[in-house]
Amino acid sequence: MGERMQAAAGCLTAAVGAGAGLAVWSVDVRGRLWRFEQSPDWSVLYAELPLMVLGGVAVSLGLWAVLRRLRPRR
């Protein structure tokens, strides 16, 4: 695989990981943001959202690197 193809695969993997992190974060976000009879919990937006997106990117790139290591070279 050429260098450009590897770079494109890495960028695509990071984008998919960010999307997966965002999808996992968005599950029941309304319930976490608005607690019963309480004010909004803004840490859901400024703490949880970036951590989930970065976590998704890190996990996907880590998995991509492991799969690249395990795949035999040609």
Side-chain angles (χ1 to χ4, degrees):
M1 187 181 317
E3 286 184 30
R4 287 186 181 185
M5 187 69 95
Q6 287 178 0
C11 290
L12 182 62
T13 302
V16 168
L22 182 61
V24 169
W25 174 81
S26 68
V27 173
D28 194 34
V29 72
R30 185 173 292 172
R32 288 192 319 256
L33 184 63
W34 292 97
R35 305 284 184 201
F36 181 71
E37 292 186 5
Q38 293 181 359
S39 62
D41 183 13
W42 295 110
S43 69
V44 171
L45 295 177
Y46 69 79
E48 289 183 17
L49 176 60
L51 288 175
M52 287 302 290
V53 171
L54 290 175
V57 170
V59 167
S60 66
L61 288 178
L63 181 64
W64 180 70
V66 166
L67 290 176
R68 291 282 304 152
R69 270 292 176 197
L70 294 177
R71 200 171 111 188
R73 305 238 189 249
R74 294 181 193 199

